[in-house]
C-alpha cells in the first residue's frame, strides 16, 4: 500500500486542510477527489464531501443536510466537488461561489509531461505507480504512444518493441494473472500489436486471456489436458489429441512446454492455490504419468478434483491477514475467491470431512468479522467513487449508459437482475452459461449492494441509478421500479418506446417472456427481474447446500440460458447482477418490540428513530446500528454480521439484510457476442 503523502495525492491534500474556510469548492473535471484513499483521508481530517452535478439535487441536499450544520459551533467543514472546470464556474450557484474557497485540480497539473488521453483512462491505483516512475525517471514530454509505452515498460514490465518468444509470453501471462495484475484496456491494444508480430493467437483470444483471469485459466487448462494426455500416451499425434485440440475454445499456442521450469513454478502454484482445477483421469492413466510433478494437476474424480481445489483456496486464504485489507477492490478479489470456495463447499458438503467443514466455518467467521469492521468505517466513501468501473449497484445503469448511442439502431443493452443471487451461487450458475454461450465474451466482476441488503432498498438503486435517500417515499416497496427505470433512460435521451421493464420472471418459456424485446426493434434498453432464486431462498429449509441444489435444477430447466441466447442474438449487450446475496443463519432470538419496528427481517430490523433501534440493540449485541448518509433521514437499520439472525434461538434460515460478505458483494457480469472474425 502506498504512503498517501508520498503519492500524487500529496499536492491535493496540501491544499485541503481544515481551519481555512467552512466551504471549499473543488473544480475537479478528472474526478481525482473520487479516489478511495483520498476520500478516506479527507473524512479522517474531518471534512464532509458533497458532489455538485445536478444543481437542483445539490440545492436540496445542501439546504436539508448542511446549511444548518455549517452554522453550528461544532460544524464540519464542507468540500463541494464539481466536474466543471474553473472556466465553467458560471454553472455553480452564485452563493456557493461567493462563500467558498476555490481550488482547481487536474491530471494535467500532476502529470504535465504525460499524455492526458492515456492517463484519463487509468484507475487511481495505477496513477501511484505512474507517479513514482515519472519522478524516478525524470521523463520529458511524451506523446500518446510514447506514454503508453512508458507505462507498459515501467509499471507492467512489458517492452513494446520486444519480440516475445512463446516461453516469454507464457511466463509473462502466468506471472501477471497469478499476482492479480490488471492491465487497463487502453494499454492492451498496444500489447496486442506487439504480440501479434510473433504469435498466432487471434486478437479476440489475446484480449480475453490478458483481461480475464478466468479466461486465461480456461486457456491454460485446455492445453494442460493435452499435455497430460501426452504424458500418458507415447504417441503425440494420436486421434484423441487431435480431437481435443480441435475443440479448444482458444486457438493458437496449442503445445505449451509446461515442463519448462519458469512456467512450471507458476502452474504448480496455481494448482496448489486452487486457481486451476485438476484434470480428471482414470486410476490407470494416473499410474502411467511419466513425470510425478504432473500429479499436482490431475485427479481420479470430480469430487476429488473439487476437494483439491477447495484445500488449495483454503491454504491461500489462510495466508491473508483480513484486517489489513484497505481497498474495496481487495475485498472484491477476496469475495470472489471465497465465493469459489463456498460454491465447492456447498455443492460437495456430503463428501467433506469434519476438519474441512470446521476450516470453512473458521475462515467465514474471520472474513466476516474483518469485513463488517471495514464496511462500517468505509461504506460511505464507496458512494462517492466514479461509476465508470461500477463499485456499487447504483453505478450499474450509469455504466450501461456509457455504451448506449441514442441515435444508433444497433446500440442495445439489457439488464438482468437475478433477485437474491449471491456470488457463490453465481459460480454454480456460470457453468451452465459458459458451456452454452460459447460464441459470447463473458466478463466477470462484482459490486457492493446497498445496506441493508433488502430488495426494496438495494434493487431500487439499480433501476433508478440513485441513492436510497432519493426515493425515501418508496423505500419499503418495489412498485416504482419501472417508473424509475423509465426516468433514468429518458434523462439519458431515450424515448418511452425505447425502454422496457419486466419482472416476476424465471419460470416457463423465456422466449415468450421477452418476445416483445426480441421482436420490437425500437427497444434499446430493457430491465428484467428474475425472482426464482429469491423465491427458492424464502422457502428453503435445507440450508445453503440445498440452495445450490435447487439452483442446479433451475439452471437445468434452461430458462436463463434461453433468455441470454435470445437477448445476445438480437444484439443486446447483457449485464447480469443481483440486488443482494444471502446467508445461512442461526437464530439468536426474536426482538419483542411490538409495533416499533418499521421492517422486521430475519437479518435486519428497521426503525424510524435511533432511540428505538438502540433499545433493541442493547439486548441483541451481535447486531450493529447501521448508519449511512445515503439512506433516508428517518431510516435506522439494525443489521447482523456473520451468520446470526433475528429468529427463534437455534432455528436456521437462509436470509438476507445483513452485512456479511456473502450478502453485500454481488456478481456483475457482462455478456456480449464475439465479433465474427
Amino acid at each position: 500500500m502506498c504512503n498517501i503523502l508520498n503519492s500524487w495525492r500529496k499536492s491535493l491534500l496540501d491544499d485541503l486542510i481544515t481551519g481555512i474556510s467552512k466551504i471549499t469548492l473543488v473544480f475537479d473535471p478528472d474526478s481525482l477527489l473520487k479516489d478511495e484513499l483520498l476520500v478516506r483521508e479527507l473524512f479522517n481530517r474531518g471534512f464532509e464531501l458533497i458532489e455538485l452535478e445536478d444543481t437542483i439535487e445539490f440545492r436540496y441536499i445542501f439546504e436539508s443536510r448542511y446549511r444548518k450544520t455549517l452554522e453550528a459551533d461544532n460544524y464540519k467543514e464542507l468540500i463541494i466537488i464539481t466536474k466543471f472546470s474553473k472556466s465553467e464556474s458560471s454553472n455553480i450557484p452564485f452563493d456557493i461561489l461567493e462563500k467558498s474557497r476555490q481550488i482547481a485540480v487536474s491530471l494535467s497539473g500532476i502529470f504535465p509531461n504525460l499524455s492526458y488521453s492515456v492517463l484519463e483512462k487509468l484507475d487511481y491505483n495505477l496513477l501511484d505507480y505512474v507517479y513514482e516512475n515519472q519522478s524516478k525517471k525524470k521523463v520529458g514530454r511524451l506523446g500518446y504512444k510514447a506514454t503508453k509505452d512508458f507505462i507498459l515498460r515501467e509499471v507492467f514490465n512489458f517492452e513494446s518493441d520486444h519480440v516475445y518468444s512463446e516461453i516469454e509470453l507464457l511466463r509473462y501471462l502466468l506471472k501477471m494473472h497469478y499476482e492479480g495484475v490488471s492491465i487497463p484496456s487502453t494499454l492492451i491494444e498496444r500489447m496486442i500489436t506487439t504480440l501479434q508480430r510473433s504469435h498466432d493467437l487471434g486478437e479476440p483470444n489475446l484480449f480475453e486471456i490478458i483481461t480475464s483471469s478466468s479466461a486465461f485459466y480456461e486457456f491454460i487448462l485446455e492445453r494442460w489436458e493435452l499435455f497430460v494426455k501426452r504424458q500418458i500416451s507415447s504417441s503425440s499425434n494420436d486421434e484423441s489429441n487431435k480431437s481435443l485440440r480441435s475443440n479448444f475454445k482458444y486457438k493458437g499456442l496449442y503445445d505449451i512446454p509446461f515442463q519448462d521450469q519458469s512456467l512450471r513454478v507458476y502452474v504448480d502454484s496455481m494448482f496448489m492455490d486452487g486457481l486451476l482445477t485438476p484434470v480428471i483421469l482414470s486410476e490407470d492413466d494416473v499410474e502411467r504419468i511419466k513425470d510425478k510433478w504432473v500429479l499436482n494437476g490431475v485427479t481420479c474424480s470430480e469430487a476429488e478434483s473439487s476437494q483439491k481445489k477447495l484445500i488449495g483456496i483454503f491454504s491461500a486464504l489462510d495466508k491473508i491477514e483480513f484486517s489489513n485489507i484497505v481497498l474495496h477492490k481487495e475485498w472484491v478479489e477476496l469475495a470472489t475467491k471465497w465465493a469459489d470456495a463456498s460454491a465447492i463447499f456447498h455443492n460437495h458438503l456430503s463428501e467433506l470431512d469434519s476438519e474441512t467443514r470446521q476450516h470453512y466455518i473458521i475462515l467465514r467467521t474471520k472474513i466476516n468479522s474483518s469485513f463488517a469492521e471495514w464496511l462500517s468505517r468505509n461504506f460511505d466513501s464507496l458512494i462517492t467513487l466514479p461509476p465508470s468501473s461500477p463499485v456499487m449497484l447504483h453505478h450499474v445503469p450509469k455504466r450501461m449508459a456509457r455504451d448506449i448511442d441514442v441515435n444508433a439502431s444497433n446500440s442495445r443493452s439489457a439488464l438482468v437482475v437475478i433477485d437474491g443471487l449471491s456470488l457463490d451461487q453465481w459460480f454454480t450458475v456460470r457453468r451452465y452459461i459458459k458451456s452454452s454461450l460459447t460464441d459470447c465474451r463473458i466478463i466477470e466482476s462484482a459490486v457492493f449492494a446497498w445496506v441493508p441488503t433488502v430488495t426494496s432498498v438495494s434493487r431500487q438503486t439499480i433501476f433508478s441509478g440513485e441513492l436510497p435517500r432519493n426515493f425515501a417515499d418508496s423505500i419499503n416497496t418495489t412498485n416504482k421500479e419501472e417508473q424509475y427505470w423509465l426516468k433514468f433512460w429518458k434523462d439519458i435521451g431515450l424515448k418511452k418506446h425505447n425502454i422496457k421493464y419486466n419482472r416476476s420472471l424465471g419460470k416457463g418459456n423465456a422466449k415468450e417472456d421477452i418476445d416483445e424485446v426480441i421482436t420490437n426493434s425500437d427497444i434499446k434498453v430493457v430491465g428484467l427481474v428474475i425472482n426464482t432464486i429469491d423465491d427458492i431462498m424464502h422457502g428453503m429449509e435445507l440450508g445453503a447446500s440445498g440452495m445450490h441444489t435447487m439452483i442446479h435444477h433451475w439452471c437445468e430447466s434452461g430458462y436463463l440460458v434461453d433468455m441470454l441466447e435470445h437477448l445476445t442474438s438480437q444484439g443486446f449487450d447483457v449485464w447480469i447482477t443481483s440486488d443482494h446475496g444471502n446467508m445461512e443463519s442461526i437464530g439468536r432470538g426474536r426482538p419483542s418490540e411490538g409495533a416499533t419496528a418499521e421492517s422486521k427481517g430475519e437479518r435486519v430490523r428497521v426503525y424510524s428513530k435511533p432511540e428505538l433501534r438502540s433499545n433493541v440493540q442493547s439486548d441483541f449485541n451481535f447486531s450493529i446500528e447501521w448508519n449511512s448518509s445515503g439512506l433516508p433521514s428517518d431510516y435506522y437499520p439494525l443489521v447482523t454480521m456473520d451468520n446470526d439472525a433475528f429468529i427463534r434461538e437455534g432455528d436456521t434460515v437462509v436470509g438476507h439484510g445483513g452485512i456479511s460478505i456473502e450478502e453485500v458483494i454481488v456478481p456483475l457480469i457482462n455478456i456480449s457476442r464475439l465479433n465474427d472474425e
Side-chain angles (χ1 to χ4, degrees), residues 130-362:
V130 176
Y131 184 83
E132 180 184 351
N133 282 284
Q134 171 191 255
S135 303
K136 283 181 181 177
K137 303 294 179 179
K138 295 184 171 56
V139 296
R141 192 159 187 82
L142 301 179
Y144 182 73
K145 181 181 171 184
T147 297
K148 283 187 175 183
D149 288 346
F150 171 78
I151 297 171
L152 282 170
R153 181 176 64 253
E154 302 300 336
V155 177
F156 296 104
N157 297 311
F158 184 88
E159 295 284 351
S160 300
D161 296 328
H162 182 66
V163 177
Y164 282 80
S165 69
E166 182 178 294
I167 295 287
E168 287 175 324
L169 170 60
L170 291 166
R171 183 169 60 240
Y172 183 88
L173 294 175
L174 284 163
K175 183 175 187 292
M176 183 187 87
H177 286 291
Y178 183 68
E179 294 179 353
V181 174
S182 177
I183 300 178
S185 57
T186 188
L187 301 178
I188 288 173
E189 60 188 44
R190 179 72 176 139
M191 291 182 69
I192 289 175
T193 300
T194 296
L195 297 173
Q196 283 185 320
R197 295 192 206 118
S198 51
H199 298 290
D200 61 345
L201 280 161
E203 184 172 336
N205 285 335
L206 272 170
F207 182 84
E208 283 213 65
I209 66 175
I210 293 172
T211 56
S212 168
S213 289
S214 62
F216 177 72
Y217 296 144
E218 191 176 351
F219 164 85
I220 290 295
L221 280 174
E222 285 180 336
R223 284 138 187 85
W224 175 253
E225 187 173 358
L226 182 60
F227 177 80
V228 169
K229 296 282 187 184
R230 286 176 174 164
Q231 281 274 314
I232 296 166
S233 171
S234 58
S235 170
S236 61
N237 292 308
D238 60 39
E239 289 303 315
S240 64
N241 286 352
K242 287 180 182 177
S243 173
L244 194 64
R245 181 166 157 166
S246 67
N247 290 324
F248 280 2
K249 178 178 179 179
Y250 302 99
K251 309 303 179 185
L253 285 180
Y254 294 106
D255 303 314
I256 295 180
F258 287 105
Q259 70 277 8
D260 183 284
Q261 186 58 35
S262 67
L263 305 185
R264 175 180 158 184
V265 65
Y266 289 108
V267 174
D268 269 349
S269 297
M270 287 174 171
F271 279 116
M272 292 284 288
D273 290 354
L275 298 171
L276 293 175
T277 304
V279 172
I280 300 172
L281 301 175
S282 68
E283 290 185 15
D284 288 342
D285 282 345
V286 171
E287 290 293 324
R288 297 202 326 252
I289 288 177
K290 304 181 187 81
D291 299 323
K292 296 309 173 188
W293 66 268
V294 176
L295 294 175
N296 279 339
V298 300
T299 186
C300 292
S301 69
E302 183 179 349
E304 185 183 334
S305 174
S306 296
Q307 288 190 43
K308 269 190 174 183
K309 183 173 182 180
L310 183 62
I311 291 168
I313 298 174
F314 281 2
S315 176
L317 291 172
D318 283 334
K319 299 171 188 173
I320 300 172
E321 185 59 57
F322 305 122
S323 60
N324 290 339
I325 296 177
V326 174
L327 298 175
H328 79 274
K329 285 187 176 181
E330 296 173 298
W331 278 113
V332 168
E333 289 169 7
L334 175 66
T336 303
K337 193 173 290 186
W338 178 241
D340 195 1
S342 295
I344 296 169
F345 181 85
H346 293 305
N347 278 304
H348 297 274
L349 184 61
S350 62
E351 303 151 10
L352 302 176
D353 58 34
S354 58
E355 184 179 349
T356 304
R357 295 184 186 203
Q358 188 61 30
H359 197 169
Y360 176 85
I361 292 169
I362 291 169

Side-chain angles (χ1 to χ4, degrees), residues 56-74:
I56 296 174
E57 181 184 352
F58 167 80
R59 179 58 68 188
Y60 170 77
I61 295 171
F62 179 77
E63 297 296 337
S64 62
R65 288 177 175 266
Y66 297 109
R67 172 78 72 181
K68 288 183 180 179
T69 305
L70 288 168
E71 293 170 358
D73 292 336
N74 60 342

